[in-house]
Amino acid sequence: MAAGSAVVLGRALEALDVGGAADKINLIPQDFFAELCEQIIQHLNHKIPGVNTAELCQRIQTSGIEINVGDLAKIANIVSFLFSTAARNNLSTEELVTTLGNAVSTLPKHAVQVIRHVWNEQGKSISVSEEARNMATVGQFVDIKWKLGVAMSSDTCRSLKYPYVTVTLKVADPSGQITDKSFEMTIPQFKNFFRQFKEMAAVLETV
């Protein structure tokens, strides 16, 4: 293994310690951490648009573990950096695990076991596609949901009763984190929104 690879991985693991993320990993049950690592590998391999840390965090919290989505997103980013760095440098499973062991002593054994297993099973599949992923600079659309509502009152009027549309976009940002972006539109705004989508669809028909 090249010395440069160990240095880069060491820096990532240093961030893991300084940020307290290693302590948070200690709290995460092995099955949830394995699911997180699987999602990260699938994202790096372009099989899914991103890692749904919000949904996973909610399930971890439901199981009784105190962790917030920000901490889980930080862990996901670090593990993603570890996997992508290992892929670029064609590290074997043993080389990756050895670097983990040398760089940090606080990483729980169950986490190292999961990383070993996931990398051994799927690590080599991302070595070719990683360069393309690094070129991504914009987010990726995942899903859209909408609902129609009626505003009943406001600070200045007791009964407005005007309809509006709430739209929620699920988007994977360039780092792979999936987030929800919600906004409201009046009916005229929604009609303009819809008109622009029709224009896009018409243009696509000519391609």
Side-chain angles (χ1 to χ4, degrees), residues 139-156:
Q140 182 176 348
F141 171 79
V142 178
D143 193 17
I144 183 172
K145 294 181 180 179
W146 66 273
K147 64 180 179 180
L148 182 65
V150 178
M152 300 303 294
S153 64
S154 74
D155 293 337
T156 57

Side-chain angles (χ1 to χ4, degrees), residues 48-61:
I48 60 174
V51 180
N52 198 340
T53 49
E55 187 271 339
L56 183 59
C57 183
Q58 186 175 26
R59 288 196 285 120
I60 294 174
Q61 290 172 342

Side-chain angles (χ1 to χ4, degrees), residues 27 35 47 64 70 73 76 78 97 113 172 193 203:
L27 299 175
E35 184 176 345
K47 291 182 178 179
I78 292 170
V97 172
Q113 291 172 350
F193 182 75
V203 172

Side-chain angles (χ1 to χ4, degrees), residues 169-184:
L169 295 175
K170 193 179 290 291
V171 179
D173 65 25
S175 71
Q177 299 300 318
I178 294 179
T179 56
D180 290 338
K181 307 292 184 182
S182 298
F183 56 93
E184 292 181 356

Side-chain angles (χ1 to χ4, degrees), residues 4-16 36-37 40-41 43-44 51 72-91 96 99-100 115 119 126 130 133-134 174-177:
S5 305
V7 171
V8 173
L9 281 174
R11 288 173 181 168
L13 291 167
E14 181 181 349
L16 188 73
L36 177 66
C37 290
I40 290 169
I41 287 287
H43 169 60
L44 292 175
V51 180
L72 192 62
K74 180 177 182 179
I75 291 168
N77 286 335
I78 292 170
V79 175
S80 178
F81 179 74
L82 290 175
F83 283 154
S84 60
T85 301
R88 284 194 299 271
N89 291 278
N90 296 315
L91 299 188
L96 177 59
T99 303
L100 285 170
I115 290 171
W119 187 252
I126 68 171
E130 178 59 19
R133 194 191 78 89
N134 285 339
S175 71
Q177 299 300 318

Side-chain angles (χ1 to χ4, degrees), residues 12-25:
L13 291 167
E14 181 181 349
L16 188 73
D17 284 333
V18 172
D23 292 334
K24 296 296 182 181
I25 291 176

